[in-house]
Amino acid sequence: MLAVFGHTNPDTDAITSALVYARLLTRQGVEARAYRLGELNFETPFVLREAGVDVPDLLPTLEAGAAVALVDHNESAQSVPNLTELTVMRVVDHHKLGDLTTAQPPYLRFEPVGSTGTLLLKLHREAGLPVERADARLMLSAILSDTLHFRSPTTTPDDREAVAFLAPVAEVADVEAYALAMFAAKSDLGDTPAETLLRMDYKVFPFGDPTRPQSVQQWGLGVIETTNPGYVLGRQAELLAAMDRVRAEDGLNGVLLSVVDILNETNRTLVLSATEEKVLREAFGVEMAGGLADLGGRISRKKQIVPTLEAYFTPTA
């Protein structure tokens, strides 16, 4: 049995991609099962209910050598703790190459598209297999989520074409209305604890020159995508306290939390301390006001935040 899973603190793309890829592999004669590496955010349960699909189980502890397939990630910091002990057979991802190493040649599928869901549609077509309704709904949802319904700069023509193809198969007559319903579910944060909000879409990145390990810093980057940023920013003090705890618990050099207004395409990032303030000012050229940094239209962590921080921490000679 091939275990298929996305990254820790899974988002909609990570969960749906694991489900769709496991199903696709099984249809091709490879016994596979989808798992998750953490609790769901508020958007994903809505998506799974709409598709009529159960939540995948948490990944059990795997013995050394167990065969696995990774979707929507390839960096060890975002995967299972014992990834180096496992046999990575397949990776389907739309992120940059990380530190993944394997003992034998794996199947790799990387493309610079907005969502793993777009790649999975391509794999269905290349295999000559029809897309079933539930899988179409899952892939459609993943693309709309990751591209913020084409608002993100990560959006490509392939993503737009995929949505146009998948919508009728998924029986979604009004894509815009469906996307707004997804975003409304994501924004229904209620009295969720501050640390849970921080960690819902949160990844740790190493920044610095890998040839000089002493220069490498570990930074936690969280994102809260919402149609109601006022509610999130109204809990600024709680969130800053949670960021401070996480920085200490995880032994990080810094923590950033971006509050992305989906509809207005803006990013206001919480500033925890003088360390984060210095980095934000020098890397992005922004000033702080009220404990916040206005990052303007930089709404993509993958394309607009991480590359800027990588360049800042690893300056060219």
Side-chain angles (χ1 to χ4, degrees), residues 199-214:
R199 290 190 182 273
M200 279 195 306
D201 187 359
Y202 172 85
K203 296 179 180 180
V204 174
F205 295 87
F207 294 124
D209 185 351
T211 65
R212 295 189 301 114
Q214 70 277 10

Side-chain angles (χ1 to χ4, degrees), residues 43-262:
E43 177 186 76
T44 308
F46 169 83
V47 167
L48 297 183
R49 287 194 302 270
E50 289 291 306
V53 175
D54 292 333
V55 177
D57 292 333
L58 281 168
L59 182 73
T61 301
L62 299 177
E63 296 182 357
V68 300
L70 311 182
V71 293
D72 198 33
H73 78 295
N74 71 97
E75 299 194 50
S76 60
Q78 300 168 16
S79 199
V80 289
N82 65 332
L83 182 63
T84 57
E85 301 174 359
L86 305 178
T87 303
V88 178
M89 304 293 294
R90 296 170 175 268
V91 184
V92 180
D93 194 11
H94 66 125
H95 296 91
K96 70 180 181 67
L97 287 171
D99 60 350
L100 179 68
T101 60
T102 62
Q104 61 187 41
Y107 170 86
L108 302 176
R109 183 63 176 264
F110 286 73
E111 288 189 32
V113 293
S115 167
T116 311
T118 301
L119 295 181
L120 290 172
L121 174 58
K122 293 187 178 188
L123 292 179
H124 275 80
R125 288 168 161 171
E126 291 163 13
L129 291 172
V131 178
E132 299 185 350
R133 177 193 173 279
D135 289 337
R137 180 69 69 108
L138 294 176
M139 287 184 278
L140 173 72
S141 301
I143 300 166
L144 294 175
S145 178
D146 259 22
T147 67
L148 299 179
H149 192 195
F150 309 144
R151 293 172 174 84
S152 172
T154 61
T155 305
T156 69
D158 286 356
D159 301 307
R160 294 178 182 274
E161 190 278 329
V163 166
F165 174 86
L166 290 167
V169 181
E171 299 177 2
V172 175
D174 189 332
V175 171
E176 181 176 3
Y178 179 67
L180 290 174
M182 287 173 52
F183 300 153
K186 178 185 291 190
S187 303
D188 186 14
L189 304 177
D191 57 357
T192 305
E195 187 165 331
T196 301
L197 292 178
L198 168 62
R199 290 190 182 273
M200 279 195 306
D201 187 359
Y202 172 85
K203 296 179 180 180
V204 174
F205 295 87
F207 294 124
D209 185 351
T211 65
R212 295 189 301 114
Q214 70 277 10
S215 74
V216 176
Q217 296 193 24
Q218 301 290 331
W219 280 66
L221 305 183
V223 178
I224 298 176
E225 296 170 340
T226 178
T227 58
N228 186 10
Y231 168 79
V232 179
L233 295 174
R235 300 182 62 183
Q236 182 175 345
E238 294 175 67
L239 290 167
L240 287 170
M243 292 163 65
D244 193 41
R245 289 194 300 273
V246 167
R247 183 173 63 175
E249 291 169 3
D250 295 354
L252 302 174
N253 297 95
V255 176
L256 299 174
L257 177 60
S258 294
V259 181
V260 171
D261 183 333
I262 297 173

Side-chain angles (χ1 to χ4, degrees), residues 273-289:
S273 72
T275 298
E276 287 82 0
E277 180 176 346
K278 179 178 184 293
V279 169
L280 287 167
R281 179 180 290 111
E282 295 179 356
F284 296 95
V286 297
E287 294 299 323
M288 316 300 131

